[in-house]
Each structure stands twice: as structure tokens, then as C-alpha cells.
Amino acid sequence: LADYYDGRTSRRYEVEVEVLGDVLAIRGDGLAHDVPRGRANVLPRLGSTPVRIELPEGGLLVAPDFAAVAANLGVPVVRTLAYRLETHPLAVLVAMAGIALAGWFAYREGIPWASSRIAEQIPYGIESQLAEDALDSMDKWMLRPTATPPGRRAALAGEFERLRAKSGAPDGTRLEFRSADWIGPNAFALPGGVVLVTDQLVELMEDREVAAVLAHELGHVRHRHGTRHVLNNSMHAFIMMALFGDATAVAGVAATVPTVFLNTGFSRDFEREADAFATGLLGRAERSPADFADALEALRQYEACFDRKEKSRDWGYLSTHPGYEERRQAALAAAGEAGRDRPPRP
């Protein structure tokens, strides 16, 4: 028993189907239709749904008895296997687990790998536009104009440019100063080569220590960590930019940059890569990598001044840069001063 559709109208015919040698005889409801058996195509079946059999000229048979169809028409083994797998609870559970594992792997490994490859193809001009839009947004909602004295800013800008010249970062890479009490001592590199440092960090540190932090941020710029980080959080928009050159997508992505950078920070791998770059850059600039260790210790001592309740926001530089002691010891090792303790600040 089956339902027959002729492919020309929506009418359903209730028919009986019989295999007579090489012919599929379809009879019933005023219909008598013969089809060569070799031209009857059994379609894949999902679960316990009826079997669909394609016929010439758009005809279709829908039969509820899979076993009868398999016995008379010889359903291909691969389709029988698919049906068995789809109706076997253990096979379904294994498939679901495989899908979950594949999804986790794609999220954990696939997206970072793709973001790295795509970032290499995005022109610095697009990154610069992204940085400008993001900085405008941050200036409007999160930051205040700097209060750092012009002389100190000029001295640090000179330090930054000397480091930048030896870093391999693009010529357009620049340093920006802003005040942000609610963020505290902090610095971060936006996509496009804009390095932003807060007055609170400048006030906390000596120039050599600020320069060491800037060397670390230049590592993020050099390895395009900012773009890769935003890519991980806004993959769709950047795929459109990379594949189709749709720069209008930058505006939408730029709106997410402040939240992405302030709420998530860079990954441990990005931080370690930037740390290694910073110690190497400080060495090339005839500075000691121990300056970076001192900068980290200054931040740790600053955060130690606040109890946990007062630090409920946890916005500090170290909060988005994990592994303080590991990183400090690595910087001291690069300077040949492993195990050195830094005296407490007054």
C-alpha cells in the first residue's frame, strides 16, 4: 500500500504496488500505471518516516512499509545502514556527542586559526579606520582627556617612537593618553596600531617602566592581536570584509571593540607572545627586560592596596593579563636576574 502523486497535480492516489518481474505495477483509485523497476529510485529515509520512491516524469510513491519496499526493490545497503543508524539510540547519542565535540573544537581552535589567517589579509587601512571609530566611541562614553603634563607626555612619546622604530610595527602606530579613574592603571593596543595608556598608569610608574609596558603593547600591534581578538568575537563581519572588501562592516565591528577589550582582555597565548616580544624589543633598544618585571610588580603592589570589596569591579591591568608571577619571572630571566625581589614602593 502506498500514496501516489503524478507530479503534475497535488492529487493523492491510494494505490497498491506490486513488483512483476522488471515492472513496478501501480494500481488503484482508477489508476493503472507501470514503471520500469530500474527507474524507481528509493530516497534516503529519516527515522521512522515513510519511504519515498521517485518515479519518472516527477511521479512519487510514499509507502509506510520500509521492510516491504526493501524486500521488493532492493534498497541500497548504504541507505539501509543510514536508516539503522538514525533509529539506533546509541548511534544517535554518539553522533550528537561528535557534533558537540566538533563544535567545541571549531570554537576553541578553528576560530582562532581562521582569525589569524584572515587578519593577515586585512589591510592596515581598514584596521586604522576600525581603531579611529573605536577610539571615538571610547572617548564619548568611557574616557576623559588626559591630565598628564605635556612634558611627561612628550618624553613618553619619544620613548614610544624609539621602541616603535625597532619593533617592526607600522609607521602609523601612535600613542594616546587618556584619563580613566574607573579603569585604573591600564594600557591596551587597539586594532590598527593605536596604543592607549591611562594617566593612572603613568602616575604609578617611572618612565622606564611605562616604556616597558609600551613595548608589551607594541608586541600586540606587531602580531595584530587586536584585530585577531576582535575577529574572534565578530567573525562574521570580518569575513565579509576579508572576502568581499565590504569596509562598511567596520562601523558595526567598531562598536563592539570597547566592550571586547575591557571585558575580556587578550588570551594567555597572546599575552605570552607579547611578553616575549617586549623583552626582546627592550634588549634591542638597549634597555633591561627587568623594567617590565618592575612594571608588573608596581601594578601588583597597587592592586594589593585595595581590599576585595573595593576591587569588585576588577578592571586593573593585571586582571586582564593572567599569570603575574610567571610573567614577571620570565622577564627577570630574560634580563639575567631570575629570582630578584622588588622592594615595596613608598
Side-chain angles (χ1 to χ4, degrees):
L1 297 176
D3 293 329
Y4 171 76
Y5 300 88
D6 60 17
R8 296 185 296 274
T9 68
S10 61
R11 181 179 174 183
R12 176 175 64 90
Y13 299 86
E14 294 182 357
V15 299
E16 292 184 0
V17 183
E18 186 178 2
V19 178
L20 302 174
D22 293 331
V23 175
L24 200 64
I26 304 171
R27 303 287 186 269
D29 204 2
L31 180 73
H33 187 45
D34 293 332
V35 176
R37 179 175 175 177
R39 299 191 64 186
N41 179 32
V42 180
L43 299 175
R45 184 189 187 200
L46 178 61
S48 59
T49 58
V51 186
R52 296 178 303 146
I53 305 171
E54 281 186 337
L55 302 175
E57 300 177 0
L60 180 70
L61 285 172
V62 180
D65 192 346
F66 178 82
V69 173
N72 288 281
L73 294 183
V75 177
V77 173
V78 64
R79 293 183 183 172
T80 303
L81 176 61
Y83 169 72
R84 290 176 179 172
L85 291 174
E86 289 163 358
T87 55
H88 195 290
L90 180 59
V92 172
L93 287 175
V94 170
M96 292 177 64
I99 292 171
L101 181 62
W104 176 86
F105 182 81
Y107 177 80
R108 183 71 180 270
E109 304 293 340
I111 290 178
W113 178 87
S115 70
S116 177
R117 302 288 83 75
I118 294 173
E120 295 171 358
Q121 304 303 317
I122 296 176
Y124 275 109
I126 291 181
E127 282 188 299
S128 297
Q129 180 186 341
L130 178 63
E132 296 302 328
D133 291 345
L135 187 59
D136 287 346
S137 176
M138 297 174 79
D139 282 340
K140 183 176 181 181
W141 300 107
M142 304 176 182
L143 306 174
R144 293 184 292 108
T146 181
T148 298
R152 184 97 190 270
R153 278 186 280 145
L156 290 172
E159 298 277 11
F160 178 80
E161 183 54 32
R162 284 188 286 274
L163 289 169
R164 189 210 63 78
K166 295 180 179 294
S167 70
D171 290 340
T173 303
R174 73 179 194 273
L175 177 64
E176 293 282 345
F177 295 87
R178 295 292 190 276
S179 179
D181 288 331
W182 67 285
I183 298 175
N186 216 322
F188 42 88
L190 297 175
V194 174
V195 175
L196 194 151
V197 61
T198 67
D199 290 354
Q200 290 70 26
L201 185 136
V202 173
E203 293 169 3
L204 178 67
M205 297 182 181
E206 302 171 8
D207 284 5
R208 65 182 181 85
E209 295 167 336
V210 176
V213 171
L214 297 179
H216 171 89
E217 298 305 323
L218 282 168
H220 288 311
V221 174
R222 182 66 180 82
H223 292 292
R224 306 184 82 167
H225 289 162
T227 300
R228 290 161 63 184
H229 185 53
V230 176
L231 273 168
N232 290 341
N233 292 273
S234 309
M235 181 61 75
H236 175 73
F238 271 93
I239 287 175
M240 295 297 291
M241 283 193 291
L243 296 182
F244 304 110
D246 181 13
T248 61
V250 172
V253 175
T256 71
V257 171
T259 300
V260 167
F261 272 77
L262 296 178
N263 285 337
T264 62
F266 286 126
S267 70
R268 286 179 180 267
D269 288 342
F270 282 1
E271 292 303 336
R272 291 189 181 101
E273 191 171 29
D275 283 355
F277 183 91
T279 55
L281 177 58
L282 291 170
R284 293 194 298 275
E286 299 182 350
R287 293 179 172 275
S288 173
D291 291 346
F292 185 59
D294 288 348
L296 291 172
E297 178 62 15
L299 288 163
R300 189 196 66 77
Q301 292 184 15
Y302 171 84
E303 293 197 355
C305 292
F306 299 91
D307 61 32
R308 291 183 179 275
K309 183 176 180 180
E310 290 175 324
K311 283 183 59 187
S312 59
R313 293 176 305 174
D314 203 22
W315 283 114
Y317 189 84
L318 294 179
S319 69
T320 57
H321 296 66
Y324 153 76
E325 187 60 29
E326 171 194 338
R327 298 172 66 206
R328 179 175 173 275
Q329 290 302 325
L332 290 174
E337 301 181 29
R340 175 171 67 84
D341 289 328
R342 188 183 197 282
R345 286 175 176 255

